[in-house]
Amino acid sequence: MANVIGSNITHDLVYEANADANQQLARVIEAKAQQVMLGGGKKSIERHKAKGKLTARERITRLVDAGSAFLEVGLFTAHGMYEAEGGCPSAGVVTGIGIIHDRECFIVANDATVKAGAWFPMTAKKNMRAQEIAIENRLPIIYLVDSAGVFLPMQDEIFPDKEHFGRQFRNNAVLSSMGVPQIAAIMGPCVAGGAYLPIMCDEAIIVNGTGSVFLAGPALVEAAIGEKAELETLGGATMHNTISGVVDYSVDSDDEALDLIRSHIDKFAPSKGRSNLFSRIEPRPPLYEEEEIYGIMPADRAKPYSTRQIIARLVDGSEFDEYKAGYGKTIICGYARVDGWAVGLVANNREITRSGKGEMQVGGVIYSDSSDKAARFILNCNQRGIPLVFLQDVTGFMVGTRAEQGGIIKDGAKLVNAVANSIVPKFTFILGNSYGAGNYAMCGKAFDPRLIYAWPTAQIAVMGGNQAAKTVLTIKVAALEKQGEVLTEEKQQELLKEVQAKYEATTKPLYAASRLWVDGIIEPTQTRAVISRGIAVASHQKALPELKTGVFQV
């Protein structure tokens, strides 16, 4: 019988202060999300709809099953970036996982209200993240194309490199070779190199009157070869449907295109392995209210709290079989179920503990014994085919003479190796701090989590703002002293505050989400749903690969 963890908590003044602070963070994120979802703004939306077209988000809502939830990936991509160019909300493309005829599909929809759907550097990165998720999970991918092509003033940052624009076409080919269905609907302009993306799909649909596809538009054709060509003759629906044969279907409206996509997906063969690749039983809610997480998480990120109380509000029945509970106490590992799915949880313990030797251990810090325990647990989950969920609130690995002599680098390397070579799906949630190599060891973006989301309370950086600012200040003061300038204590404090403010601005979850270090920012109460959806999506795999690990220093 599984062990029930957690307990009822008192809603005292500390709890209420924490809840107020953390819910305010969530409200700010939600307000920004609503603004981003407007794309190019109300006037741009009105102009777009005047052409008889649906917006990107309307297209997605129309495409997916009624009442189903759309799991958005990359909502805040490019947030605060490209301000000199007028901004590019959500990188001009809406992406995420939707359900079409009870089947998960990845959807990529250009938002033509944002710079006519032009491709910025982060647009390419976001599209490649979409394709990466489709490749990892064998998800059908649907492209709703409405784009003016590359944003030419920034072409040098999007065109030639390995992870630039062209990589998407390579991914089209890879997906096709894997037998992953791809369908494109050309619902607006589709220009230049971008024309290859829909035509490299299995099937392409074009909307008559609004859709067009060509390697060079009328203006470029005239400039290049002197020919004056009409848009419809050059790349309109009728020409491609009757003369070039480039497209497979021509329809008269967005609605018809979306109906046709749904009709195709309805006829796909059943997904292989979904029923039995990972263990699932009848779901049960936690014993305690998920909303209490807001009061458990301290408003001050330096303060300790009970990670087990968080887990008790995330797992079914608040039941948790903890692995090696008395050893390596700064990482909590164990088996549980989330929405019925079996999972292995790896969580940083934020309580101050004592090791088996009686030594005080700081919460959120990874020690040698906790590294060793977590590495072994991860391998156990791989042997048993149990998906892994990482709950990050980590300030890094322990440092100092005793830690180095105890082999912290060696033990940390074991954990990194186990995470890197894990074959089961991994899902990462950044609850609080995510600093330095702790980010890596707890399955940060570099270690290929299937999905990675941050809570509004997250902070992501190479080290904490206070430590980083003091380090930078020390370097600056030393450099100035070499030049013969001596700073007063007051001036040093001013400089420290300036450095710290600038540094901490880069640790916020919005900063991470804008650069796709995380797939998005969610409220704690959405965590169970994202885990469940992620494992359901991962179940599209036919089988797990063979487990192989690298060399462990022992």
Side-chain angles (χ1 to χ4, degrees), residues 55-77:
T55 66
R57 294 186 181 278
E58 287 173 337
R59 287 166 177 167
I60 291 171
T61 299
R62 177 72 174 71
L63 179 61
V64 300
D65 292 351
S68 65
F70 178 67
L71 178 59
E72 187 154 356
V73 173
L75 170 64
F76 289 109
T77 307

Side-chain angles (χ1 to χ4, degrees), residues 21 27 85 87 98 170 186 223 245 281 306 327 340 342 345 398 497 505 527:
R27 284 191 288 268
E85 290 76 26
R170 175 263 186 194
I186 301 164
I281 62 173
S306 173
Y327 178 73
L345 280 173
M398 190 58 190
K497 288 179 181 178
T527 306

Side-chain angles (χ1 to χ4, degrees), residues 134-216:
I135 288 169
E136 287 177 333
N137 298 288
R138 274 48 173 188
L139 276 190
I141 187 164
I142 312 300
Y143 303 94
L144 306 180
V145 186
D146 194 346
S147 172
V150 168
F151 185 68
L152 288 177
M154 304 187 77
Q155 63 85 26
D156 60 318
E157 297 181 45
I158 191 175
F159 167 62
D161 208 348
K162 179 179 178 180
E163 298 298 331
H164 281 179
F165 194 80
R167 186 75 171 182
Q168 295 160 102
F169 312 139
R170 175 263 186 194
N171 290 345
N172 278 137
V174 169
L175 282 158
S176 184
S177 72
M178 293 168 59
V180 176
Q182 299 176 88
I183 299 175
I186 301 164
M187 309 173 99
C190 186
V191 185
Y196 286 108
L197 187 145
I199 307 310
M200 290 188 72
C201 292
D202 306 334
E203 292 180 304
I205 302 162
I206 192 167
V207 179
N208 188 33
T210 56
S212 58
V213 55
F214 32 61
L215 293 181

Side-chain angles (χ1 to χ4, degrees), residues 1-5 311 315-316 318-324 332-338 341-346 373-389:
M1 182 177 177
N3 295 313
V4 175
I5 63 167
I311 294 171
V315 301
D316 289 11
S318 301
E319 294 177 355
F320 184 63
D321 293 329
E322 189 165 351
Y323 175 78
K324 289 184 181 288
I332 298 170
C333 301
Y335 306 101
R337 288 189 181 272
V338 174
W341 296 101
V343 298
L345 280 173
V346 182
K373 177 176 81 172
R376 175 68 177 272
F377 178 75
I378 288 166
L379 292 179
N380 283 349
C381 289
N382 275 263
Q383 290 280 29
R384 301 169 186 178
I386 301 175
L388 284 160
V389 175

Side-chain angles (χ1 to χ4, degrees), residues 389-393 427-432 451-455 522 526-528 530-531:
V389 175
F390 292 84
L391 303 178
Q392 283 198 18
D393 195 342
F427 305 94
T428 301
F429 298 87
I430 302 175
L431 280 54
L451 294 170
I452 176 170
Y453 283 85
W455 287 3
I522 61 169
Q526 297 173 296
T527 306
R528 279 172 53 83
V530 173
I531 293 170

Side-chain angles (χ1 to χ4, degrees), residues 342-373:
V343 298
L345 280 173
V346 182
N348 299 111
N349 185 7
R350 282 301 309 274
E351 293 183 298
I352 297 173
T353 62
R354 289 189 180 275
S355 71
K357 300 175 183 178
E359 299 162 341
M360 189 73 75
Q361 293 189 329
V362 179
V365 176
I366 303 177
Y367 291 77
S368 284
D369 53 359
S370 47
S371 296
D372 179 68
K373 177 176 81 172

